[in-house]
Amino acid sequence: MNLRNNSIAIIPARGGSKRIPLKNIKSFYGSPMISYSIEIAVKSNLFSEVIVSTDSKKIAEIANEYGAATPFIRPKKLSDDYTPVIDVIRHALNEIENQYRYVCIIYPTAPFIQLK
């Protein structure tokens, strides 16, 4: 079985953090925080697609620069402090209209993520 053809990485990254607005793209050791998650997901070669689900055009632009797809902008109703991540993932899968056997959620604020 070819895992890569059956799997997708989804990185949920909303722009409306109350404590640190746009924290997902704040600089961390010279790169946007989200860049570390995107680059590792791409380099892992495990996924046929790496997408970022976001409500922010600015986050989407940066995600694209680092190799992630942003095929949609997440609606506001799925971008508040109380939205469960599973709702965000379901929305993303519905938006891209693809069926994947495996879905991996990678958080955007994980700069120490590594390949093993």
Side-chain angles (χ1 to χ4, degrees):
M1 174 177 68
N2 185 346
L3 180 66
R4 187 174 195 280
N5 291 336
N6 291 305
S7 62
I8 185 171
I10 300 175
I11 302 172
R14 74 184 178 95
S17 173
K18 297 277 189 281
R19 288 178 279 167
I20 306 171
L22 296 171
K23 69 180 171 193
N24 300 310
I25 56 173
K26 293 282 187 203
S27 182
F28 184 79
Y29 282 92
S31 295
M33 181 74 73
I34 196 171
S35 70
Y36 299 96
S37 297
I38 294 169
E39 288 178 336
I40 289 295
V42 170
K43 285 180 187 175
S44 76
N45 213 20
L46 292 172
F47 309 107
S48 57
E49 238 182 319
V50 175
I51 70 164
V52 171
S53 170
T54 186
D55 59 335
S56 165
K57 289 183 182 184
K58 192 170 190 174
I59 291 173
E61 289 172 12
I62 290 172
N64 293 152
E65 288 176 28
Y66 285 89
T70 53
F72 56 86
I73 295 294
R74 188 182 337 151
K76 292 202 183 299
K77 70 179 182 176
L78 292 175
S79 300
D80 65 29
D81 291 342
Y82 305 105
T83 302
V85 73
I86 191 64
D87 292 349
V88 172
I89 301 308
R90 280 190 189 119
H91 171 263
L93 291 171
N94 286 333
E95 282 292 314
I96 60 173
E97 297 179 357
N98 283 311
Q99 295 296 316
Y100 290 95
R101 184 168 181 164
Y102 305 102
V103 177
C104 180
I105 302 166
I106 301 174
Y107 289 97
T109 53
F112 301 114
I113 191 170
Q114 297 178 12
L115 289 175
K116 288 273 178 171

